[in-house]
Amino acid sequence: MADYQLIVIGAGPGGYEAALRAAKLGKRVAVVERREAGGTCLNRGCIPTKTLLHASAIYRDAKNGAHCGIHTEDIHADMAEIFAYKRAVSQKLSAGIESLFKTAKIDLLRGTALITGSGCVRVTDADGSANDYTCDDILIATGSVPSRPPIPGLELAMTSDELLEGCDHLYRSIAIIGGGVIGIEFATFYADLGCAVTVIEGMDRLLPNMDKELGQNLALILKKQGVKVFTNAMVQRVEQAGEDLAVHFTCKEKEETVSSEAVLCAIGRRAYCDGLFADGVGVEMNGRSIAVNANFETSLPRVYAIGDVSSKIQLAHVATAQGIACVERLCGVQDHTDLSVVPSCIYCRPEIAVVGLTEAEAKEKGIPVKVGKHVMFGNAKTVIADPGRCFMKLVAHAETRELIGAQLMCEHASDMIGGVAQALANHLTAEQFCRAMRPHPSFEEAMTAALEDLCERLG
């Protein structure tokens, strides 16, 4: 008999949730992890960045509270304490996962995994000792790592992993290469704390993969917060300039240079499967990602892959949903999550959250659409918080009236997008989703206003 029925490689959100679900369905499960339980999300990604943003928001609100009668003197941000707080949160959550493993009788195998064949995994620990394990099925959930393109001098820049290791002081200035999700969240954190921030994005707007208005509006808000934003800017090289680093780039055919104490490279992430397969063993690849079919099967029999290592969409909740779906299908259980409806959030100020298609994407697909929109100038909670220009935009099929997309840019957008995702997954029309009563005062009231505008436009 095999040692395990399932070995999961990687204890990130995809891996640990898949393992827990498999154990609940009666399988003997082991998880291989060479670092902390929780993977990138809990230790070098989602949770650490949100913890830092929570801390910086407290600082910013306290420092700028005079308009509502809150006066503070001698306020300062202690970076060592902020990063200690970040570590404590991650460690608490990571320990919680290990506790769940023990309760579910899942073996956590500490070390680096090597797939030596179908149903065969070698685990090498930190001391170099190796143990071979057999199993019925293998689930690869090794995630992704930051990309560092071949730009001269870019080795002088930090990646998000390196930045999150912590520093003992607040940078007086930082240049961020990349205006996507990672770059924008770090720009928000450092701008909150008074650091001079420059964002350099190669495309024509920030958040180039999202609705055009989101990136344009965000650029205006960041500039009001003191952030310098360059778009259509291609970095040529990074070099040492005294105590600072100089980033040389072209912007609108003009040579530009920005000098700063630190440089962050935030140009995306790549699938991580380095050293995962033994010589003579491998799987079909899709570029740098592992190729899988609709059931998450790789080309190697009884070896599966989920999450960032194989998915086009690199989000923790996508990895979780795929991991659970994969395990349920293995166990002959019907999975219920609609994997085509994927909400996505950016924790800038105000927050951004999207799901489904934008108006432009729908038109590219030949789908006739109508768009409802509400700018939240009169929303009471928005007036109180004063986060800048906020809006909600909803997209519906012009003929069926079914909701097919939403773009929110407002406070607590990340907490509301799940409800919209439910509407899309259940194929609700604009009228059906508008029917729900929403509380007052709340940011969500604007959803009703945007839906009413959409219904009017649908006629």
Side-chain angles (χ1 to χ4, degrees):
M1 185 175 66
D3 295 316
Y4 299 99
Q5 291 173 292
L6 176 67
I7 291 181
V8 179
I9 302 175
Y16 80 74
E17 291 282 11
L20 290 168
R21 183 61 175 149
K24 190 173 183 179
L25 291 171
K27 285 191 175 289
R28 298 190 316 278
V29 183
V31 177
V32 184
E33 176 56 59
R34 64 187 178 88
R35 300 185 69 174
E36 311 91 341
T40 293
C41 175
L42 262 66
N43 301 285
R44 296 170 297 283
C46 313
I47 302 306
T49 53
K50 305 319 166 278
T51 306
L52 295 180
L53 284 164
H54 175 66
S56 69
I58 292 173
Y59 175 86
R60 186 196 65 164
D61 291 346
K63 186 176 181 181
N64 298 296
H67 70 284
C68 58
I70 306 299
H71 301 275
T72 56
E73 287 77 31
D74 299 326
I75 184 172
H76 71 283
D78 187 307
M79 291 297 282
E81 292 182 10
I82 288 174
F83 274 81
Y85 165 59
K86 170 195 73 71
R87 286 190 295 273
V89 170
S90 292
Q91 288 166 1
K92 182 177 181 179
L93 292 171
S94 180
I97 292 170
E98 293 193 29
S99 178
L100 290 173
F101 283 170
K102 290 179 181 177
T103 301
K105 295 181 170 54
I106 295 170
D107 290 340
L108 179 57
L109 308 177
R110 297 282 187 183
T112 301
L114 179 71
I115 297 174
T116 57
S118 294
C120 301
V121 178
R122 179 173 298 157
V123 180
T124 304
D125 63 22
D127 296 328
S129 300
N131 290 290
D132 289 306
Y133 300 92
T134 57
C135 59
D136 296 334
D137 298 291
I138 299 171
L139 177 58
I140 301 169
T142 47
S144 61
V145 292
S147 296
R148 201 193 292 262
I151 296 173
L154 200 59
E155 67 277 2
L156 298 171
M158 298 176 290
T159 64
S160 57
D161 280 5
E162 294 159 345
L163 190 153
L164 286 169
E165 288 298 319
C167 59
D168 58 1
H169 72 286
L170 174 64
Y171 297 124
R172 65 179 183 278
S173 56
I174 186 169
I176 298 174
I177 304 172
V181 176
I182 297 170
I184 292 306
E185 290 188 349
F186 278 112
T188 300
F189 169 70
Y190 280 106
D192 281 350
L193 298 178
C195 174
V197 179
T198 302
V199 177
I200 304 167
E201 167 57 43
M203 302 295 284
D204 64 347
R205 64 183 187 275
L206 300 180
L207 309 178
N209 295 324
M210 292 188 174
D211 181 86
K212 188 174 184 179
E213 189 175 1
L214 294 172
Q216 292 174 335
N217 196 46
L218 177 61
L220 293 173
I221 290 172
L222 286 175
K223 287 174 183 178
K224 286 183 179 179
Q225 295 172 354
V227 177
K228 294 180 180 178
V229 177
F230 293 90
T231 55
N232 278 319
M234 301 303 295
V235 174
Q236 304 300 315
R237 67 187 187 280
V238 179
E239 60 187 15
Q240 198 75 43
E243 295 183 354
D244 288 343
L245 295 173
V247 181
H248 300 274
F249 58 97
T250 57
C251 182
K252 299 174 183 176
E253 300 182 355
K254 181 181 177 182
E255 296 288 336
E256 300 276 2
T257 300
V258 170
S259 293
S260 58
E261 183 180 357
V263 176
L264 170 65
C265 175
I267 311 181
R269 301 178 64 85
R270 66 170 179 86
Y272 182 74
C273 53
D274 302 5
L276 182 60
F277 299 98
D279 291 342
V281 178
V283 294
E284 183 180 336
M285 302 295 289
N286 182 12
R288 300 191 71 171
S289 301
I290 294 176
V292 296
N293 64 16
N295 289 318
F296 312 103
E297 297 170 303
T298 71
S299 58
L300 193 61
R302 307 201 74 163
V303 177
Y304 303 79
I306 54 96
D308 288 10
V309 75
S310 59
S311 176
K312 292 180 180 179
I313 303 175
Q314 296 182 328
L315 293 170
H317 48 279
V318 170
T320 295
Q322 290 181 345
I324 292 172
C326 179
V327 164
E328 289 180 338
R329 293 173 193 181
L330 273 175
C331 295
V333 175
Q334 177 65 46
D335 60 281
H336 299 289
T337 302
D338 187 339
L339 298 176
S340 68
V341 179
V342 180
S344 179
C345 305
I346 304 174
Y347 297 82
C348 46
R349 308 201 206 288
E351 290 183 350
I352 292 172
V354 302
V355 67
L357 299 175
T358 66
E359 179 181 11
E361 288 169 341
K363 289 180 177 178
E364 286 177 8
K365 294 176 179 289
I367 301 172
V369 295
K370 293 291 183 181
V371 178
K373 181 180 173 183
H374 180 67
V375 181
M376 299 166 65
F377 292 130
N379 177 265
K381 290 291 290 289
T382 302
V383 172
I384 293 167
D386 192 23
R389 182 178 180 272
C390 295
F391 64 90
M392 293 188 183
K393 188 185 293 187
L394 297 168
V395 184
H397 194 294
E399 297 170 357
T400 67
R401 310 177 78 87
E402 183 180 318
L403 288 169
I404 60 173
Q407 297 84 45
L408 315 183
M409 187 169 188
C410 59
E411 295 289 273
H412 297 288
S414 64
D415 299 313
M416 292 184 277
I417 199 65
V420 188
Q422 287 286 341
L424 268 63
N426 288 287
H427 307 286
L428 297 187
T429 65
E431 289 83 1
Q432 288 170 330
F433 194 46
C434 188
R435 197 171 295 156
M437 186 183 297
R438 295 175 172 86
H440 172 80
S442 70
F443 297 107
E444 198 171 2
E445 287 178 289
M447 187 80 68
T448 298
L451 285 163
E452 288 174 346
D453 180 59
L454 177 57
C455 291
E456 287 181 12
R457 294 176 185 277
L458 286 166

